[in-house]
Amino acid sequence: MGEELILRCEDSLEGIFTAIYDAFVYKNKMVHPYRDSISIVPGEGSMSLFAQEIMVVTDEQKVERTVYSIQTRLGFSVYDTLLRTLCHFDENRATMVLGYLVRAFSRGCDISDHLADPYVMRVMELSRKVENERQKFYGFLRFREAGNVLVARMEPKCNLAPLMMEHFTDRFPNENFIIYDEKRRIAAVHEAFHSSVLVAGVELDLEQYGKDAFEALWKQYVSTMEIGQRHNEHCQNTMMPKWYRKYMFETEKKT
């Protein structure tokens, strides 16, 4: 087998985890010591002239085995870190996670402390950025009534729907709700008193529904609490950048 190998997979968490599984299979077949010569490329892209490319087909069993190995051998904390990293939009995120896992399975779960390693450093950096955005959207996400379902729309930079659904499932266990990522067309769907599930490739049309009591309540709250004489647009933009506000009812007239 050649030294340079590119695994091209579906641009999804399942596709990447499948590619990670296959990457370790190919790594173990290499004659020479492994030198980070395997890359994982989610989605479509230009072909490389200097490396062998292999298309990876998403396999649920491989996904389950990969996730299980990470959780049992390295711990749930490491798995959460890697999951956040894979939810970033960086095109090299899957390769960085692969390099991290190669080192972690060899040296142990304390690999996260080895920040001098470029793979470890990059994984921790991407994970932190995703977590920062997630924490902001916990506060900025707004639900509206659409029939008997609560619906929240968002367009985050990172793929936050898989990371946020458990939080809102714990908060609203008795509600039917949907958290919809307009950019990626991914929906976290929760049926009351059940676990949330992810649905990809869906179109959510809310134009048929008018404004509801939640929107009026948010606008009334902001209008009541704001001190007009102390209005500071610069401070507002610093604490809550405008790109967060697209689906925030109380600020829609200001953006």
Side-chain angles (χ1 to χ4, degrees), residues 129-143 152-161 163-164 167-168 171 179-184 239-248:
K129 290 180 178 179
V130 173
E131 180 61 19
N132 289 341
E133 186 179 36
R134 175 169 66 166
Q135 292 299 325
K136 288 182 172 64
F137 267 97
Y138 280 156
F140 296 151
L141 200 68
R142 299 289 182 261
F143 287 91
R153 302 161 71 188
M154 62 178 182
E155 289 186 28
K157 294 180 180 179
C158 303
N159 182 17
L160 296 184
L163 302 176
M164 296 178 65
H167 171 83
F168 287 100
R171 292 197 65 182
I179 301 175
Y180 184 65
D181 186 333
E182 294 274 356
K183 181 178 180 181
R184 297 170 181 82
M239 302 299 294
M240 185 174 62
K242 289 187 176 181
W243 72 270
Y244 284 107
R245 307 183 194 180
K246 185 173 181 179
Y247 300 108
M248 295 181 67

Side-chain angles (χ1 to χ4, degrees), residues 65-124:
R65 293 179 65 178
T66 303
V67 171
Y68 179 78
S69 294
I70 296 172
Q71 292 176 341
T72 55
R73 295 180 58 182
L74 302 177
F76 284 86
S77 177
V78 170
Y79 171 75
D80 290 341
T81 297
L82 299 181
L83 182 62
R84 288 193 297 268
T85 302
L86 293 179
C87 288
H88 199 273
F89 52 84
D90 187 278
E91 62 182 9
N92 294 320
R93 65 192 184 279
T95 301
M96 294 297 106
V97 168
L98 174 61
Y100 178 102
L101 285 172
V102 169
R103 290 154 175 77
F105 285 137
S106 175
R107 306 175 191 174
C109 58
D110 64 343
I111 189 65
S112 296
D113 298 330
H114 298 198
L115 297 180
D117 187 291
Y119 285 88
V120 176
M121 181 64 181
R122 188 58 175 161
V123 164
M124 301 306 293

Side-chain angles (χ1 to χ4, degrees), residues 14 46 228:
E14 293 80 6
S46 58

